[in-house]
């Protein structure tokens, strides 16, 4: 092999490597926007790992419709700025979507699958986002009695590591929820992010319940329901 041909082959190999690496590197610490249509999109910087987690959370919402629908966009060349409804990379947020089963045993809704979608973030001006839960009759419920839908805003968010607590006021409530958690009820949702679905350890969540207005992450360190599908992204 001539020296000239060797140099040409080396340059070709380097060019291929750059073509593979650059698209991923370009997204590292790029600006990511999660827009759930509530007028206050989450804008934050995300590396490749965080971007993958958020994508899995959005896909969980798509696969398990609950009433919260979010879109994801990214601009690797933009510089994150703190504006209304935005989150700098150091501000807390939760994005999650998926399905969990209430399990078995006595009590209302036991055995029913619950689809959920959560988007919650904080900036210097306050808290933003929404949380929704839907039980449909075809998803493991034995009677029509326990189907229903609930949606709440976000008035409080506290994050500690990979654990978060979200609180909000119910704005929509139908079916079973209309009696258990009527409109105007303050609810609490606790979640634990155990990594991307590929980690093999599913994230956990506690079903929404009446609460006071004080947020303290970690007061429910063991949310009892593991996700059957989906992902929860927690950032502190």
């Amino acid at each position: 092999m001539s020296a000239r041909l060797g140099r040409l082959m080396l340059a070709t190999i380097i060019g291929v490597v750059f073509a593979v690496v650059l698209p991923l590197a370009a997204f590292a610490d790029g600006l990511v926007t999660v827009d759930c249509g509530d007028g206050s999109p989450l804008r934050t910087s995300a590396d490749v790992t965080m971007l993958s987690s958020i994508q899995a959370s959005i896909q969980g919402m798509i696969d398990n419709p609950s009433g919260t629908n979010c879109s994801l966009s990214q601009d690797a060349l933009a510089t994150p700025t703190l504006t209304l409804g935005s989150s700098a990379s150091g501000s807390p947020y939760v994005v999650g979507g998926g399905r969990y089963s209430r399990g078995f045993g006595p009590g209302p809704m036991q055995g029913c699958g619950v689809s959920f979608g959560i988007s919650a973030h904080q900036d210097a001006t306050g808290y933003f986002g929404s949380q929704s839960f839907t039980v449909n009759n075809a998803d493991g419920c034995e009677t029509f009695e326990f189907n229903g839908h609930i949606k709440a805003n976000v008035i409080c968010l506290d994050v500690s590591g990979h654990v978060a607590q979200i609180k909000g006021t119910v704005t929509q409530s139908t079916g079973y929820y209309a009696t258990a958690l009527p409109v105007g009820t303050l609810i609490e949702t606790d979640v634990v992010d155990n990594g991307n679905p590929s980690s093999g350890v599913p994230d956990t969540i506690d079903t929404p319940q009446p609460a006071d207005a004080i947020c303290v992450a970690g007061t429910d360190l063991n949310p009892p329901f593991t996700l059957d599908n989906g992902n929860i992204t927690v950032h502190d």
Side-chain angles (χ1 to χ4, degrees), residues 142-161:
E142 296 182 359
T143 71
F144 288 89
E145 183 179 358
F146 300 133
N147 66 337
H149 166 76
I150 186 173
K151 190 166 187 175
N153 59 11
V154 173
I155 66 167
C156 184
L157 167 66
D158 189 54
V159 174
S160 177

Side-chain angles (χ1 to χ4, degrees), residues 46-62:
D47 59 17
V48 173
T49 300
M50 184 59 67
L51 177 61
S52 174
S53 182
I54 295 174
Q55 286 175 325
S57 297
I58 299 294
Q59 190 62 49
M61 295 181 191
I62 296 172

Side-chain angles (χ1 to χ4, degrees), residues 79-98:
T79 301
T81 57
L82 186 61
T83 58
L84 180 64
S86 302
S87 173
S89 59
S91 299
Y93 62 82
V94 176
V95 180

Side-chain angles (χ1 to χ4, degrees), residues 95-122:
V95 180
R99 177 193 181 280
Y100 62 94
S101 173
R102 292 274 310 221
F104 304 96
M109 294 179 62
Q110 293 294 336
C112 293
V114 182
S115 297
F116 73 95
I118 297 172
S119 173
H121 61 280
Q122 178 188 11

